[in-house]
Amino acid sequence: MAILPESFKAFQYQTGIDRICDAYRASADTINKAVSEATLACLQHLESGVDDREYDEDGTLLFSTSYSLAQAEMDVILAVAVVREAFITSAFHYWERSARAWTGLHEFEHKFPDLRRETRRLHPVSPQLPNLNRLNNVLKHNSRRVDRTLLKNRPDYFGTLFPKRNANNPPEPRLRISHEHVEEAFDIVRGSGPTR
């Protein structure tokens, strides 16, 4: 069996994350275009002044173009969040699979701390990798749950749906992943393995 040179391992690893990054950017461009088109359709309908709401005899709304367009806009906005979360998870799992190959730690009991420790013996590892692991776990297992350590370390990952009401009853933070967070995840993974 031939031993691959470190430069080839670096090329292979970095090319893999580049492919994930390219796929994300293509997806993001497509979905951002859909958001723009949906927002424009809502705005144009609103500016037209057309009111085509239909109600039943009890006053229940049956149909409204305005409502339908607003719902379509909300659907594509939510799709943006799903795409961002999926690519963060994809990037982290790429690192995890790669780390298992580098370290030979393939058993179920070999968890993130083991993979990180052994990878650090072989390659540089980003100091943000533990936060990316926590974010990945929140995304995979329950996006409504708030990991308090992650909230403390990376409050920029979180936001609230509603403005602060009062100090005694603050709103619950929720994940708010931005495009910049996805790009940062790619950089964290790039910096946590063999480099060119």
Side-chain angles (χ1 to χ4, degrees):
M1 176 170 72
I3 296 175
L4 297 174
E6 286 302 312
S7 61
F8 181 77
K9 290 178 188 176
F11 171 79
Q12 186 179 34
Y13 178 67
Q14 296 297 327
T15 300
I17 192 62
D18 288 345
R19 286 185 187 128
I20 296 169
C21 183
D22 290 345
Y24 164 71
R25 289 177 182 162
S27 298
D29 287 347
T30 300
I31 206 145
N32 287 337
K33 182 180 177 201
V35 169
S36 296
E37 290 170 356
T39 300
L40 180 62
C42 280
L43 184 60
Q44 287 174 339
H45 181 75
L46 182 66
E47 289 175 348
S48 75
V50 173
D51 184 2
D52 61 356
R53 289 179 285 187
E54 296 177 19
Y55 298 91
D56 69 8
E57 62 275 356
D58 296 323
T60 302
L61 181 66
L62 297 173
F63 175 80
S64 164
T65 299
S66 175
Y67 177 81
S68 295
L69 290 171
Q71 185 61 47
E73 181 183 26
M74 181 58 68
D75 288 345
V76 293
I77 288 170
L78 292 173
V80 169
V82 169
V83 167
R84 289 174 181 165
E85 292 173 4
F87 277 95
I88 284 175
T89 296
S90 181
F92 181 79
H93 282 237
Y94 176 74
W95 175 83
E96 191 173 44
R97 283 188 312 273
S98 298
R100 289 190 183 284
W102 302 324
T103 64
L105 300 176
H106 297 286
E107 301 303 320
F108 181 74
E109 65 269 6
H110 297 133
K111 304 292 185 194
F112 173 76
D114 303 316
L115 291 171
R116 180 175 171 243
R117 182 186 64 247
E118 294 304 312
T119 297
R120 287 173 63 158
R121 292 180 181 179
L122 303 168
H123 307 292
V125 173
S126 169
Q128 284 297 319
L129 191 62
N131 289 325
L132 185 60
N133 175 54
R134 285 182 174 281
L135 176 59
N136 174 63
N137 285 333
V138 169
L139 293 174
K140 278 189 344 185
H141 300 296
N142 188 349
S143 61
R144 297 193 193 282
R145 181 175 62 90
V146 175
D147 180 313
R148 295 294 169 189
T149 302
L150 186 60
L151 179 61
K152 179 181 169 228
N153 294 345
R154 292 301 303 263
D156 59 303
Y157 285 165
F158 297 89
T160 56
L161 287 175
F162 305 105
K164 188 174 183 176
R165 288 169 267 167
N166 62 50
N168 296 332
N169 192 14
E172 185 68 22
R174 301 279 184 189
L175 279 175
R176 294 285 178 263
I177 302 301
S178 69
H179 168 76
E180 291 74 22
H181 291 133
V182 182
E183 292 288 345
E184 180 191 35
F186 298 145
D187 290 340
I188 292 167
V189 171
R190 273 190 196 96
S192 298
T195 58
R196 293 182 181 147

